[in-house]
Amino acid sequence: MTTATARAHSNIALIKYWGKRDAARNLPAAGSISITLEGLHTDTRVDFDPTLAADTCELDGEPVATERMRPLLDHIRARAAIESRARIITHNNFPTGAGLASSASGFAALTLAATAAAGLQLSRRQLSTLARLGSGSAARSLFGGYVEMLRGSAADGHDAHAVPLLDAADWPLAVVVAITDADAKAVDSRRGMTASAAGSPFYASWLRQTDADLVAMRAIIAQHDFHALGALAEHNCLKMHALMLSTQPALLYWNGATVNAMHALRALRKDGVPVYFTIDAGPQIKALCPPEFAATTAATLAAVPGVQSVLRTGLGPGAHLLS
Ligand code: PMV
């Protein structure tokens, strides 16, 4: 086979990844835990074509640079002993580069499609390790439901991959995403992480706290304790943003609507609705709640000044081949 198409779903971290132990190999400085999202996905078709002079990529009809895909594609070519360049055609069903983890679904779909197109048959763990070369969060999108990314300790990174913790169907959860600005973010995660490691006085403390939060979140997921999950996810997210804000120069990913939405969700919680939030490297806010509270949460977020649109989703599957 020289052509294959894969779909991968985006994910959001409950315990965040923000820091690398090896920038060249893209190895995380700590583990992370995420949930894979049903409604946000990337479809990617890869064609290894001997007539191409260079790798090409079209995202939603527009040509995009392929530099960030190079390490992954070169690795796949070396492993499959092929020379051909890749023609990549990819579509996101949600805004790209705005803190909705398009790099996660994008690199997971690319990894699965490109390895299949190259004729490689790899385990999920091997695919996850490869996806990490493109983006750390992509390693998690190979799996569905609740997923943990392992930090690993090997210098070559072979043990830095994701593992599944719990199936989506075993503990359904709703995620309501409020879009406050659909434009691409100012500082991408790669540059942001490097800046925080070099320029925040809180970086070492953040990494230590992440390790403790991972232990706690694993136990919470095993117990299906929603309030504990939400409270820890929100706290971990706010610690990551405290790290970002304490970076010099400061990384401020929120806008006014992001803050309005945080207040609205906290007020809703005070009124008895079990809802918590998390925010990545962008201004969108993601509310977490049991499925029966998704409609109330979506209505509350839609009424927040500055919220442009609201998406409702649940937990989704791991990356899979479409053809
Ligand atoms: O792996 P990247 O480069 O997409 O970075 C992910 C960074 C965060 O979304 C902020 C946190 C995370 O764990 O997904």
Side-chain angles (χ1 to χ4, degrees), residues 70 77 106 128 139 233 279 286:
R70 256 313 267 286
R77 276 189 282 260
S128 174
I279 306 164
K286 293 107 178 182

Side-chain angles (χ1 to χ4, degrees), residues 96-308:
T96 300
L100 289 179
S102 55
S103 65
S105 53
F107 277 107
L110 177 63
T111 302
L112 189 57
T115 50
L120 293 174
Q121 287 190 343
L122 303 179
S123 69
R124 284 274 141 174
R125 283 183 182 198
Q126 288 172 315
L127 290 167
S128 174
T129 308
L130 274 184
R132 197 208 64 238
L133 294 173
S135 152
S137 57
R140 301 186 306 236
S141 274
L142 265 302
F143 298 95
Y146 299 76
V147 181
E148 177 165 1
M149 174 71 195
L150 306 177
R151 175 192 188 272
S153 53
D156 70 356
H158 74 269
D159 54 356
H161 56 75
V163 292
L165 291 179
L166 188 70
D167 280 353
D170 288 341
W171 189 19
L173 206 64
V175 178
V176 183
V177 182
I179 310 280
T180 64
D181 181 354
D183 290 344
K185 61 193 168 223
V187 180
D188 68 27
S189 54
R190 197 166 284 237
R191 285 194 294 135
M193 287 183 203
T194 309
S196 292
S200 167
F202 301 153
Y203 184 68
S205 164
W206 157 251
L207 291 182
R208 273 197 307 278
Q209 303 224 4
T210 304
D211 286 337
D213 287 355
L214 287 167
V215 173
M217 187 57 88
R218 257 180 241 134
I220 287 167
I221 290 171
Q223 290 155 10
H224 300 201
D225 180 344
F226 177 73
H227 276 289
L229 177 140
L232 181 55
E234 192 172 297
H235 177 60
N236 181 270
C237 152
L238 290 172
K239 282 191 288 193
M240 178 181 74
H241 284 274
L243 172 75
M244 292 162 161
L245 291 168
S246 67
T247 298
Q248 283 181 303
L251 298 167
L252 173 55
Y253 288 106
W254 302 340
N255 58 31
T258 319
V259 178
N260 291 340
M262 284 189 243
H263 285 296
L265 292 171
R266 284 160 63 110
L268 192 61
R269 188 156 80 222
K270 232 174 164 183
D271 286 346
V273 175
V275 63
Y276 295 85
F277 62 79
T278 187
I279 306 164
D280 288 313
Q284 328 311 349
I285 184 157
K286 293 107 178 182
L288 309 165
C289 61
E292 60 273 29
F293 294 98
T296 314
T297 300
T300 299
L301 284 173
V304 170
V307 168
Q308 295 174 355

Side-chain angles (χ1 to χ4, degrees), residues 73-112:
L73 292 170
D74 285 346
H75 193 102
I76 292 170
R77 276 189 282 260
R79 207 148 166 167
I82 58 172
E83 306 263 307
S84 301
R85 304 292 110 179
R87 180 182 301 103
I88 302 159
I89 300 187
T90 185
H91 295 284
N92 287 336
N93 75 337
F94 60 92
T96 300
L100 289 179
S102 55
S103 65
S105 53
F107 277 107
L110 177 63
T111 302
L112 189 57

